[in-house]
């Protein structure tokens, strides 16, 4: 709030505070007996209490001043951050009821402790079957079904995954409280590449074994054993997060039923002519020795020479260099043809050199041949209009085995296809030779050196390029010729595009629709084959005839597809018209892309391809929530296969949250040490504990060193205990519809403080109600007192805002509405005003009913976001029968049923009163009045006086002032010496009496000292104004504005303390200059 303008009101003759001044006046409260020199007198206990409060306010002022004086540059944390002070940990130690429920009749601990609050509730919820939908839905009942994006079975959740869980669980709990039949399906993904890599690394570190040292079946036994040891880790994390998943339907993508669904999908797509086998260039990871999908490739832009570490290469490799060398022209006339390439090692696979037919530089070489300097092969010079003469030398080496454009050229000109790089990334030139088995990037240097020895090297230059990198291994992608299974996506993509453009499928936020359409318009065939052992083996079989090998009409081998080997054998027998037992079938050793099985999850997890009751009742699902980075990895493929295989969209809405980064804006990465286990935020962890866990991960030594240092920098004091509810609310508070999300542990810590605020508020309510309070349904409350009407009107506004935001999938807006009601309306305002009214027999009963209504409905609002705290406190509130057994099933507040509480007029009156309160408190803070409660006078229009009179006790409690006098608008008041004032709006002025509370000389000295200190800081930030001075830097503009506002307030305070000059205008009240 901007600093109020202070005004001096010093009159000649002091008047009694309660006496009318210039017209009608109203007084609320009785003024204490004061001395004109010493101010109020207090008894010793009261003096001690007020002195303690004064010291507390002084510390708060000092913190604010330190914040205003803080430097703009980055600071190295040398002490624990604000709010870090260790809290008392209280364990739940009471016996549970026979059904596993916590004892709620015992007294609450004196302070909020997440460990106490969150104990035992989740297991009781599970035991009560609250997460399983009822067997049948009443007529007209609404259904919500959704699936949890299945995390990798051998991995662990980080806070990015926890964001998805928190958002989905908030939606699930909200709908369940609204009476919907809710199914939230959990599951885990077998994660072929990731799991196999982890197990291979573990075998090497623990036993010194490589995968190739074992048979396929032995290796798969090791993977299943690993899954049994570590597969439940994620499920424990989900339970710790309070996720209300139906565990009776938990799916795993390698379960027998799910595996049958995968085989069924492959067979149906093959029968529809969408899956076929072809020899093409595939995106290949040499580190993983497997093909990849195009979406698993990260393009890395290089502006010039860049040294990068490549898995398997002994030294860093420099990319971003264009090498030029010459091919000698066959014929002995000394001619040559220069070519430029960023991949000189692939020249061993060159089969031709292409030039543009109209390029005058090379017309004389049309139809000639070039002699390969290492293999001696003759390479034809071909002409093709696709060659760009302006790029490089204008001559293009044709390497069809490792380049898609070159493969197109080779097929157009019927050139041979050569591959010179093996699956493991080593060289395998035809016929072996001097580079056989050498790493491809080591071979690069050797090839350049050999060209120089032969006098064919023509130099190198810096070259901007885009380097394709494997997102899983960090390896540089190779393009290798492979026979693989491909899925034609064009027709499915057209239907998926139409689903969005027609509105049948809604992407939230809407800006994702443009990328969706672009991707669908440019989609290619999907390579399904992966050269792994762990995963769903391709249900395709190569057919051999013992007497003749491959059937003569199928020289490359006949491939048949079947749900089982018997089905495939029967299909082959029908094709070849021979007895089935005469055929030899060999199943494809490859497995299917993990994303293929994941794309079936919404319907396969519900029993597809059988028409199970779950599939009929809960498919299609309603909504999907996941990260925006999975829009094409997963979401698009679910939509394409869902429509193709079931004829229906798998869901109607997709909420895509932004990419989650750490507090420094970096992507979450185990190798950076910034991946946080949600349980470390829930329970807290010291730096040593974090580092110990890091050493148990399977990281290579370099990654471990970097991650250890990264952890030490980011969490120098470890992570404080915040609790599940605080973490969930912190996650839900981010606007996931916008830019990337920077997750900060400090946000969770602030929400722990919010939980503590709610804890203390409900404890106050319970104490105010007492043991004999008889509750009524909160919706039946009809308030009369203005503050009761105000807080219930604010509650209706919060209920309405929360409901609207949840319907729009704007969870951050919903939690903001709940947070604002609890903190700003209930705790900061209503509870403070309720304390004096509780002592009044005339208003106490209504105040108690209002307290219960706010607490009970407020906890229902809170339940989707903070279920543990909500349940713990709600169970202790008195409730009118019939009441549900748990907050999870309590009706979510309905704004329509509470509409009779809306009262805009009272809200406007209280808002005007709060502006008076803010002005009075700003005056108190400026003059550092501590715990004293000075008399206050408010000059306002006649229409506002009635409401302020009714709100007088609330104003006094909130502003921490003494007797209140209301003055009419018009003539200047004659209040006497020692009064200072400030405006509280266009027609309202607030005055405080400082008489006996402030010693002018000492106060002036303090104010001047503070002004000088702030002025020096302002000068260092470049905030002083004058000719020739540059404006402050953008990074410090906000700080400069705060300093200027504070300086203006101090200047006005000094002016109010200065002795008055004799008035020049006889119409203005004057007085003795020394009367103050």
């Amino acid at each position: 709030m901007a600093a109020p303008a202070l005004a001096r009101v010093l009159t000649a003759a002091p008047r009694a505070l309660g006496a009318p001044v210039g017209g009608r006046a109203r007084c609320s409260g009785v003024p204490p007996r004061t001395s004109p020199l010493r101010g109020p007198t207090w008894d010793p206990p009261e003096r001690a209490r007020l002195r303690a409060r004064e010291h507390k306010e002084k510390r708060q002022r000092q913190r604010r001043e330190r914040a205003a004086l803080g430097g703009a540059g980055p600071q190295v944390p040398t002490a624990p951050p604000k709010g870090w002070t260790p809290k008392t940990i209280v364990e739940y130690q009471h016996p549970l009821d026979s059904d596993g429920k916590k004892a709620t009749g015992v007294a609450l601990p004196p302070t909020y402790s997440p460990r106490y609050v969150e104990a035992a509730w989740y297991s009781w919820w599970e035991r009560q079957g609250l997460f399983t939908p009822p067997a049948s839905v009443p007529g007209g009942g609404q259904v919500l079904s959704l699936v949890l994006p299945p995390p990798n079975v051998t991995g662990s959740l980080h806070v990015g995954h926890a964001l998805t869980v928190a958002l989905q669980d908030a939606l699930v709990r909200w709908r369940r409280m609204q009476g919907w039949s809710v199914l939230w399906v959990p599951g885990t993904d077998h994660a072929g590449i990731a799991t196999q890599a982890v197990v291979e690394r573990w075998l090497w570190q623990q036993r010194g074994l490589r995968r190739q040292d074992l048979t396929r079946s032995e290796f798969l036994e090791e993977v299943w054993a690993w899954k049994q040891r570590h597969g439940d880790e994620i499920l424990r994390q989900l339970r710790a997060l309070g996720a209300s998943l139906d565990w009776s339907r938990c799916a795993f993508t390698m379960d027998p039923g799910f595996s049958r669904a995968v085989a069924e999908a492959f067979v149906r797509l093959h029968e529809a002519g969408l899956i076929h086998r072809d020899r093409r260039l595939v995106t290949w990871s040499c580190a993983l020795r497997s093909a990849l999908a195009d979406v698993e490739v990260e393009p890395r832009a290089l502006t010039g020479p860049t040294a990068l570490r490549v898995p398997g290469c002994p030294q860093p490799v420099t990319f971003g260099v264009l090498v030029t060398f010459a091919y000698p022209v066959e014929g002995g006339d000394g001619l040559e043809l220069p070519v430029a390439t960023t991949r000189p090692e692939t020249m061993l696979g060159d089969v031709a050199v292409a030039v543009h037919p109209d390029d005058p530089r090379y017309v004389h070489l049309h139809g000639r041949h070039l002699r390969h300097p290492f293999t001696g092969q003759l390479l034809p010079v071909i002409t093709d209009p696709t060659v760009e003469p302006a790029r490089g030398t204008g001559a293009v080496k044709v390497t069809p085995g490792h380049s898609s454009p070159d493969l197109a050229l080779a097929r157009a000109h019927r050139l041979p296809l050569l591959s010179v790089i093996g699956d493991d990334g080593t060289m395998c030139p035809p016929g072996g030779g001097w580079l056989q088995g050498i790493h491809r990037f080591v071979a690069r240097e050797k090839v350049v050196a050999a060209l120089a020895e032969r006098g064919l090297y023509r130099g190198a230059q810096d070259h901007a390029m885009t380097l394709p990198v494997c997102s899983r291994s960090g390896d540089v992608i190779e393009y290798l010729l492979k026979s693989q299974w491909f899925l034609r996506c064009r027709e499915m993509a057209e239907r998926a595009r139409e689903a969005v453009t027609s509105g049948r499928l809604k992407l939230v936020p809407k800006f994702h629709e443009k990328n969706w359409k672009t991707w669908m318009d440019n989609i290619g065939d999907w390579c399904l084959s992966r050269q792994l052992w762990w995963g769903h083996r391709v249900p395709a079989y190569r057919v051999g005839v013992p007497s003749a090998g491959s059937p003569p009409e199928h020289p490359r081998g006949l491939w048949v597809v079947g749900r089982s080997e018997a089905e495939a054998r029967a299909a082959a027998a029908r094709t070849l018209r021979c007895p089935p037992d005469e055929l030899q079938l060999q199943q494809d050793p490859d497995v299917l892309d993990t994303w293929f099985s994941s794309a079936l999850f919404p319907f396969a997890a519900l029993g597809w391809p059988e028409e199970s009751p779950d599939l009929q009742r809960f498919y299609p699902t309603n909504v999907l929530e996941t990260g925006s980075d999975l829009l094409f990895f997963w979401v698009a493929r679910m939509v394409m296969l869902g429509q193709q295989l079931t004829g229906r969209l798998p869901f109607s809405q997709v909420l895509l949250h932004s990419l989650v980064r750490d507090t420094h804006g970096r992507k979450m990465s185990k190798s950076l040490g910034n991946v946080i286990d949600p349980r470390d935020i829930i329970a807290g962890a010291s730096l040593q504990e974090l580092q110990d866990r890091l050493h148990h991960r399977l990281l290579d030594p370099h990654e471990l060193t970097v991650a250890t240092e990264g952890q030490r920098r980011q969490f120098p004091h470890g992570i404080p205990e915040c609790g599940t509810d605080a973490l969930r609310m912190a996650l839900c508070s981010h606007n996931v519809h916008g830019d990337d999300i920077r997750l900060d542990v400090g946000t969770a810590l602030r929400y722990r403080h919010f939980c503590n605020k709610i804890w203390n508020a409900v404890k106050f309510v319970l104490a105010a109600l007492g043991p004999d309070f008889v509750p009524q349904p909160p919706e039946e409350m009809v308030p009369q007192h203005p503050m009761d009407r105000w807080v219930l009107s604010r509650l209706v506004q919060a209920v309405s805002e929360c409901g609207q935001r949840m319907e729009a999938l704007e969870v951050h807006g919903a939690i903001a509405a709940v947070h604002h009601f609890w903190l700003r309306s209930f705790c900061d305002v209503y509870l403070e005003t309720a304390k004096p009214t509780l002592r009044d027999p005339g208003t106490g009963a209504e105040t108690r009913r209002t307290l219960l209504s706010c607490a009970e409905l407020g906890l229902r609002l809170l339940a989707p976001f903070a279920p543990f705290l909500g349940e713990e406190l709600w169970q202790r509130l008195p409730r009118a029968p019939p009441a549900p057994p748990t907050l999870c099933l309590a009706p979510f507040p309905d704004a329509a049923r509470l509409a009779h509480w809306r009262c805009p007029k009272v809200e406007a009156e209280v808002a005007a009163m709060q502006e008076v309160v803010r002005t009075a408190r700003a005056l108190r803070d400026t003059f550092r009045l501590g715990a004293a409660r000075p008399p206050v006078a408010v000059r306002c229009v006649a229409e506002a006086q009635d409401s302020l009179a009714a709100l007088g006790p609330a104003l006094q409690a909130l502003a921490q002032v003494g007797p209140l006098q209301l003055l009419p608008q018009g003539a200047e008041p004659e209040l006497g010496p020692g009064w200072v004032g400030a405006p509280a709006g266009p027609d309202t002025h607030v005055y405080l009496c400082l008489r006996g509370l402030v010693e002018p000389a000492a106060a002036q000295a303090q104010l001047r000292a503070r002004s000088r200190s702030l002025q020096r800081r302002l000068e260092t930030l470049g905030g002083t104004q004058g000719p020739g001075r540059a404006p402050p830097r953008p990074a410090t503009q906000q700080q400069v504005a705060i300093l200027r506002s504070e300086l203006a307030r101090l200047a006005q305070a000094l002016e109010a303390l200065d002795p008055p000059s004799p008035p020049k205008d006889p119409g203005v009240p004057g007085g003795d200059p020394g009367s103050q």
Side-chain angles (χ1 to χ4, degrees), residues 551-624:
E553 62 271 29
H554 301 279
R556 293 186 179 180
L558 170 66
W559 286 88
V560 291
V561 170
R563 298 168 182 82
S564 64
E565 182 176 342
E567 182 177 305
R569 184 178 296 276
R574 288 193 300 270
T575 300
L576 297 176
R577 296 184 178 88
C578 64
D581 53 1
E582 291 185 5
L583 300 176
Q584 293 181 346
L585 269 63
Q586 183 178 7
Q587 188 174 359
D588 192 330
D590 292 347
V591 301
L592 292 169
D593 182 8
T594 300
W595 293 110
F596 182 79
S597 54
S598 298
L600 311 179
F601 199 84
F603 45 96
L606 296 175
W608 186 89
E610 286 77 24
E611 282 294 323
S612 66
D614 276 357
L615 189 69
Q616 296 175 13
R617 182 179 172 191
F618 295 111
Y619 185 83
T621 62
N622 303 71
V623 65
L624 174 77

Side-chain angles (χ1 to χ4, degrees), residues 278-508:
D278 196 7
R279 186 168 186 249
R280 301 185 186 179
L281 278 177
V282 298
T283 305
W284 188 267
S285 170
C286 298
L288 302 174
R289 300 193 187 186
S290 177
L292 300 174
D294 291 341
V295 291
E296 294 170 310
V297 178
E298 293 180 353
R300 182 174 301 181
L302 307 179
T303 58
T306 306
L308 300 174
R309 300 185 66 90
V310 178
C313 191
Q315 68 271 344
V317 182
T318 300
F319 299 92
V321 177
L322 188 67
V323 175
T324 301
F325 66 92
Y327 273 118
V329 178
E330 181 69 9
D333 49 7
L335 297 176
E336 64 180 31
L337 180 56
V339 294
T341 179
T342 59
R343 301 289 312 275
E345 69 276 11
T346 63
M347 59 92 64
L348 293 167
D350 289 355
V351 296
V353 173
V355 298
H356 194 280
D358 299 328
D359 191 338
R361 294 172 295 176
Y362 305 123
V363 171
H364 63 291
L365 296 179
H366 290 183
R368 301 286 297 270
H369 286 77
L370 312 175
R371 179 69 66 177
H372 197 289
F374 301 131
T375 66
Q377 297 292 320
L378 289 177
L379 311 180
V381 178
I382 63 175
T383 60
D384 195 280
T386 62
V387 176
E388 301 178 31
R391 294 192 63 181
T393 64
V396 176
K397 56 189 289 294
V398 181
T399 318
H402 304 286
S403 167
S404 295
D406 292 4
L407 179 60
L409 274 174
R411 284 179 169 163
H413 295 269
R414 298 184 179 181
L415 298 172
L417 308 180
L418 295 181
S419 295
V420 295
I421 298 176
D423 294 354
D424 60 353
T426 61
M427 301 298 293
C428 57
W434 53 291
L435 294 177
Q436 183 73 35
I438 296 177
H439 193 281
R440 63 196 187 282
F441 294 127
V442 175
R444 174 178 297 183
E445 298 179 358
K446 294 182 177 294
V447 167
V448 172
L451 288 170
E453 289 178 3
R454 288 164 172 76
L456 299 175
Y457 177 69
R458 296 294 178 263
Q461 62 188 58
D462 298 352
H463 182 68
M465 62 179 295
T466 299
L467 190 70
V469 177
C470 172
S471 62
R472 297 185 177 275
S473 66
D475 195 11
V476 175
I477 290 297
E478 291 294 337
Y479 297 96
L480 305 183
L481 274 172
K482 295 285 182 182
S483 292
Q484 309 276 265
W485 294 97
F486 293 88
L487 174 61
R488 295 186 177 96
C489 298
R490 175 63 61 187
E491 293 179 6
M492 294 189 295
E494 289 175 357
R495 291 196 296 270
R497 187 188 194 281
E498 185 276 334
V500 169
T501 56
S502 66
R504 293 188 298 117
L505 176 63
K506 292 181 172 60
L507 303 182
V508 182

Side-chain angles (χ1 to χ4, degrees), residues 839-854:
R839 296 190 291 268
D840 186 342
T843 60
E846 181 178 321
T847 300
R848 289 181 177 86
R849 289 196 297 272
T850 304
L851 284 171
L852 178 60
S853 296
C854 289

Side-chain angles (χ1 to χ4, degrees), residues 670-682:
K670 293 178 182 178
S671 60
L672 291 177
N674 61 355
V675 172
I676 309 173
D677 187 329
R679 291 173 298 183
D680 289 336
I681 301 178
I682 292 170

Side-chain angles (χ1 to χ4, degrees), residues 80-394:
K82 180 181 178 182
W84 182 267
T85 52
K87 311 297 180 185
T88 302
I89 296 177
V90 182
E91 300 275 1
Y92 180 83
Q93 297 178 336
H94 304 287
L96 300 175
D97 293 347
S98 58
D99 62 350
K101 183 180 180 181
K102 288 175 74 173
T104 56
V106 299
L108 287 170
T111 58
Y112 169 71
S113 176
R115 202 165 300 183
Y116 179 96
V117 170
E118 294 164 11
W121 283 122
Y122 194 91
S123 58
W124 181 67
W125 291 333
E126 276 196 272
R127 185 176 295 186
Q128 299 300 307
L130 300 180
F131 305 156
T132 300
S136 61
V137 181
Q142 294 180 292
V143 175
L144 172 69
S145 61
L146 67 164
V147 298
L148 178 75
N152 292 355
V153 67
T154 59
S156 62
L157 301 180
H158 58 62
V159 287
H161 299 109
L163 173 63
T164 292
V165 174
L167 292 172
Q168 284 198 345
D169 197 41
L171 295 170
V172 162
R173 289 178 179 271
W174 168 59
R175 288 303 193 194
R176 191 180 287 124
M177 293 177 71
Q178 288 186 320
W180 288 37
S181 180
V182 176
L183 174 63
W184 187 17
V185 180
T188 50
D189 190 276
H190 67 278
I193 291 177
T195 302
Q196 180 162 315
V198 167
V199 175
E200 286 193 54
R201 193 178 303 128
W202 180 83
L203 284 172
W204 177 252
Q205 292 182 1
Q206 299 298 319
R207 303 185 192 173
L209 294 175
R210 299 188 183 277
R211 171 169 59 99
Q212 292 77 10
D213 298 330
L214 305 174
T215 65
R216 183 169 187 150
S217 60
E218 289 173 340
F219 178 77
L220 291 179
E221 288 177 4
E222 294 289 348
V223 180
W224 279 107
W226 173 275
K227 190 261 181 187
Q228 294 301 319
R229 291 193 300 269
H230 302 281
D232 292 339
E233 177 74 7
I234 285 176
L235 307 185
R236 288 191 290 270
Q237 288 180 298
L238 291 170
R239 284 181 165 91
L241 286 165
S244 55
L245 293 150
D246 184 357
W247 295 107
S248 67
R249 291 174 167 87
C250 189
F252 175 49
T253 54
M254 288 288 285
D255 284 341
F258 208 106
S259 297
R260 285 195 299 273
V262 172
E264 180 71 25
F266 189 94
V267 172
R268 290 192 187 184
L269 293 169
H270 182 267
E271 291 174 348
L274 296 177
I275 288 181
H276 62 105
R277 188 173 178 84
D278 196 7
R279 186 168 186 249
R280 301 185 186 179
L281 278 177
V282 298
T283 305
W284 188 267
S285 170
C286 298
L288 302 174
R289 300 193 187 186
S290 177
L292 300 174
D294 291 341
V295 291
E296 294 170 310
V297 178
E298 293 180 353
R300 182 174 301 181
L302 307 179
T303 58
T306 306
L308 300 174
R309 300 185 66 90
V310 178
C313 191
Q315 68 271 344
V317 182
T318 300
F319 299 92
V321 177
L322 188 67
V323 175
T324 301
F325 66 92
Y327 273 118
V329 178
E330 181 69 9
D333 49 7
L335 297 176
E336 64 180 31
L337 180 56
V339 294
T341 179
T342 59
R343 301 289 312 275
E345 69 276 11
T346 63
M347 59 92 64
L348 293 167
D350 289 355
V351 296
V353 173
V355 298
H356 194 280
D358 299 328
D359 191 338
R361 294 172 295 176
Y362 305 123
V363 171
H364 63 291
L365 296 179
H366 290 183
R368 301 286 297 270
H369 286 77
L370 312 175
R371 179 69 66 177
H372 197 289
F374 301 131
T375 66
Q377 297 292 320
L378 289 177
L379 311 180
V381 178
I382 63 175
T383 60
D384 195 280
T386 62
V387 176
E388 301 178 31
R391 294 192 63 181
T393 64

Side-chain angles (χ1 to χ4, degrees), residues 596-656:
F596 182 79
S597 54
S598 298
L600 311 179
F601 199 84
F603 45 96
L606 296 175
W608 186 89
E610 286 77 24
E611 282 294 323
S612 66
D614 276 357
L615 189 69
Q616 296 175 13
R617 182 179 172 191
F618 295 111
Y619 185 83
T621 62
N622 303 71
V623 65
L624 174 77
E625 199 291 327
T626 189
S628 58
D629 55 331
L630 295 182
L631 180 60
F632 305 122
F633 276 101
W634 189 42
V635 179
R637 287 161 172 175
M638 282 190 288
V639 171
M640 290 192 297
L641 292 184
Q643 290 194 109
Q644 178 66 33
L645 295 171
T646 71
R648 293 178 289 178
L649 286 169
F651 30 73
S652 55
Q653 274 187 308
V654 183
L655 173 59
L656 297 155

